[in-house]
Amino acid sequence: MAASRQSELVASRAKPPTPSIERPSSGVQLAFAHNQSWSAFRTTPMEFIVGILLALAVSLSASFIGLDRDRAFYPTVLMVIASYYGLFAVMGGSMQTLAVESAAMLVFLAIASVGFKRNSWLVVVGLVAHAIFDFVHGHIVDNSGVPRWWPGFCLAYDATAGAYLAALLLLRAKTQKNASNPFIEKMPKRQRLLARPRVKRKR
């Protein structure tokens, strides 16, 4: 009996261990088990609060200083926001993930460029679309370089900046509409000239 146990022990030691086969991680996959799951949005509201407050601080400061008078301000903000996931992919060290993130980044860069040249409302759409992208990012891209708090923070920032820009565009359109007085335009030419304020000429 002891001899049979000793022979089994020797055979088990002589048997080589079965090598474990590791599957390479894919850049695009459902990442429910990774750090970018839905639970990342339910841990703490702090990332949302910081994102909202920071977006309001930047937007209000830009309006106070006058930076947002240039049409390029918010398209530039969208471009910078869209580039962060590519940076995180580089930090994660995956070229496949970097390729996927770069493809998504090019989409938002195109939206920002067309919005700058054609219509600023496209920039609003781009910011809101990137907020949606933040929400689903962990389910479609496996990017190990993304901090756990980043999707919630970026979602709050994008949504707040998009809402602020939409309100700003509506306010500017209303101001431009009220700038032309319809009562003065309906007057005869001579009365219109008398109704308009006179500008003093320098001697």
Side-chain angles (χ1 to χ4, degrees), residues 1-155:
M1 191 72 176
S4 63
R5 289 183 179 179
Q6 187 176 2
S7 61
E8 291 178 1
L9 182 60
V10 172
S12 63
R13 290 180 178 177
K15 186 178 179 180
T18 304
S20 60
I21 301 174
E22 296 183 358
R23 296 181 179 179
S25 60
S26 175
V28 181
Q29 62 180 359
L30 294 179
F32 294 105
H34 294 272
N35 61 342
Q36 299 299 318
S37 60
W38 294 118
S39 61
F41 292 93
R42 293 196 290 265
T43 53
T44 170
M46 183 57 64
E47 59 263 28
F48 296 100
I49 296 174
V50 174
I52 292 172
L53 293 179
L54 186 59
L56 288 175
V58 172
S59 299
L60 290 172
S61 299
S63 297
F64 179 77
I65 299 172
L67 292 175
D68 58 1
R69 295 176 185 175
D70 193 337
R71 288 171 55 90
F73 180 76
Y74 281 99
T76 304
V77 171
L78 179 57
M79 289 180 176
V80 173
I81 289 172
S83 65
Y84 272 99
Y85 282 114
L87 173 63
F88 293 141
V90 174
M91 294 170 62
S94 174
M95 295 301 297
Q96 188 174 3
T97 304
L98 178 60
V100 176
E101 298 287 15
S102 298
M105 181 177 63
L106 289 176
V107 174
F108 290 103
L109 291 181
I111 295 175
S113 301
V114 177
F116 168 69
K117 291 182 175 296
R118 300 292 181 85
N119 195 331
S120 296
W121 281 102
L122 288 176
V123 182
V124 176
V125 174
L127 289 169
V128 175
H130 199 272
I132 298 174
F133 179 69
D134 291 322
F135 189 66
V136 301
H137 180 271
H139 288 263
I140 59 178
V141 183
D142 181 18
N143 191 342
S144 61
V146 179
R148 185 179 180 85
W149 50 267
W150 178 262
F153 165 79
C154 193
L155 186 155

